[in-house]
Structure formats: C-alpha cells, structure tokens
Amino acid sequence: MIEFRGVSKIYPNGTVALKDIDLFIGKGEFVYILGPSGAGKSTLFKLLMREEKSSSGVITVGNYNLNRIRNRQIPYLRRRMGVVFQDFRLIPSLTAYDNVAFAMRVTNVPGREIRKRVPYILHLVGLANKARVYPDQLSGGEQQRVALARALAHNPPIIIADEPTGNIDTELSFEIMELLSEINKLGTTVLVVTHEQDMAKQFHRRTIRLEKGEIVYDTGKERS
C-alpha cells in the first residue's frame, strides 16, 4: 500500500528532514507516526501527498511511483488519500452537508451520487442530524467529524489524519480515535500523524517514532 525505500529529504537550505527511511505500511493497517516538532513528520506527510519530492530513494503508494508520477496524475493520487487536518479547514459559509458535498462536486461527481453518499457518510461519523448546520454552530469535535466525513467523500483506501486531536479536548480526542478505528475496521488504511504518545499507547496500534529525520522504533504490524 505505502512503501519508502531509502528515502531522504534535504531542503535547499541544507536542512536534512528525513534520512534513509525504510518503511512499509500494508493495506488495512492502522499506524501512528509519532515524534516531536522537527522530527520529520510533516515532511513525510508532504512526500506522501506529493507536495514535495524526495531527494533520494523511492516512494510508492498503491500503483503510483511518486518519483516518476506525472503532474496530471497527482490529483488522482490524492483522491486515494483522504486527509484530516488539525485546523479542520471547513468552509464557514457552507453547511456540514455542503462541506462534504463540495469535496465531491469539485471532482465532477454526479449529483445523484452526491445526494446518496453524503447522508451515508454523515451518518457514519454520527452527524446525520447536523447536516444543515454551519461550522460555527458546531463544537470542535463535531467540526472534526465533518472534516473526517469530507476526507471519506471519495471512499479513499487511505486516511491520513494530521494532528487530528490538536484542537479538541482529551475526551473528544478519544472519540475521534475510536471513530478512526471503526473506519479502519471497514478496511481503510489509517495513518495518524501526531505528537501525542499517550494516545497511541491507549489504542495499542502499530507505532512508528521519528526523531531528527530517522525512524528510532517501529513496533511492527498490529496483532489481533
């Protein structure tokens, strides 16, 4: 599903963000990627999204070789990865329904499919009764659920949650992690990029820790 082979990233100013990373994440895994600020988590995320190119090594996501991918293929790569951001990034003038629907409209999904899928996704994240509510009328946890619903809009095989609990309290953080776990049970590969080690320990999932651009430990694939 996702593989890094000997991947390094050195920025033009000489900053070494990642050093010779080897990593394989299989289909259907749930993985925490931990590390303090500056560890390389954001760079790893940007390489996966092909916002940045690696300086050396090979990255593959599904059938895509990110070293050889053409610019016109990048939007299709990104549709395979639903992304949940720390700051939600909802459109304030749109309802919860329309925030999710918008993610589908911009890729020319037919209206009939949008009308069928959006209510299903909102139900999946527990917001069926909030479809017509605007973001500023929702709690932080509810806004994060809308953001998650939007990430699920295209039924992607991979969900990447970038510090998804950074702007919500501890109780709601556990709710979001439980929801991501439920989505993982449906077969979706889930990557949670975070600095919250206690959260990872609580949920007993595969954990990869980055420090100064290197993997310092990887607990391996989760065991049932």
Side-chain angles (χ1 to χ4, degrees), residues 5 14 44 61 79 82-83 96 113 130 145 217:
R5 285 181 288 166
L44 191 75
V61 177
R79 285 179 207 172
V83 181
E113 186 174 342
K130 301 283 187 176
R145 284 171 180 264
Y217 69 77

Side-chain angles (χ1 to χ4, degrees), residues 108-140:
N108 299 315
V109 175
R112 180 184 299 178
E113 186 174 342
I114 291 173
R115 290 190 294 273
K116 180 179 180 180
R117 182 154 178 80
V118 174
Y120 165 74
I121 299 172
L122 289 174
H123 174 76
L124 187 66
V125 300
L127 290 177
N129 63 338
K130 301 283 187 176
R132 299 300 174 188
V133 177
Y134 290 89
D136 64 359
Q137 298 169 316
L138 296 170
S139 69

Side-chain angles (χ1 to χ4, degrees), residues 80-169:
R80 293 182 59 80
M81 296 181 282
V83 181
V84 185
F85 296 99
Q86 176 179 351
D87 55 359
F88 314 141
R89 301 192 186 182
L90 302 177
I91 301 172
S93 60
L94 298 181
T95 62
Y97 179 101
D98 287 325
N99 263 281
V100 179
F102 180 78
M104 303 178 75
R105 291 189 184 113
V106 296
T107 54
N108 299 315
V109 175
R112 180 184 299 178
E113 186 174 342
I114 291 173
R115 290 190 294 273
K116 180 179 180 180
R117 182 154 178 80
V118 174
Y120 165 74
I121 299 172
L122 289 174
H123 174 76
L124 187 66
V125 300
L127 290 177
N129 63 338
K130 301 283 187 176
R132 299 300 174 188
V133 177
Y134 290 89
D136 64 359
Q137 298 169 316
L138 296 170
S139 69
E142 288 170 337
Q143 290 183 57
Q144 189 61 290
R145 284 171 180 264
V146 175
L148 179 54
R150 183 182 57 194
L152 292 166
H154 292 284
N155 194 27
I158 303 168
I159 290 289
I160 303 173
D162 185 21
E163 298 284 3
T165 60
N167 285 331
I168 53 180
D169 63 31

Side-chain angles (χ1 to χ4, degrees), residues 11 14 29 37 63 70 103 171 188 212 224:
Y11 286 99
E29 282 200 80
S37 178
N63 295 324
R70 297 182 179 182
E171 183 176 350
T188 304
K212 297 180 180 179
S224 58

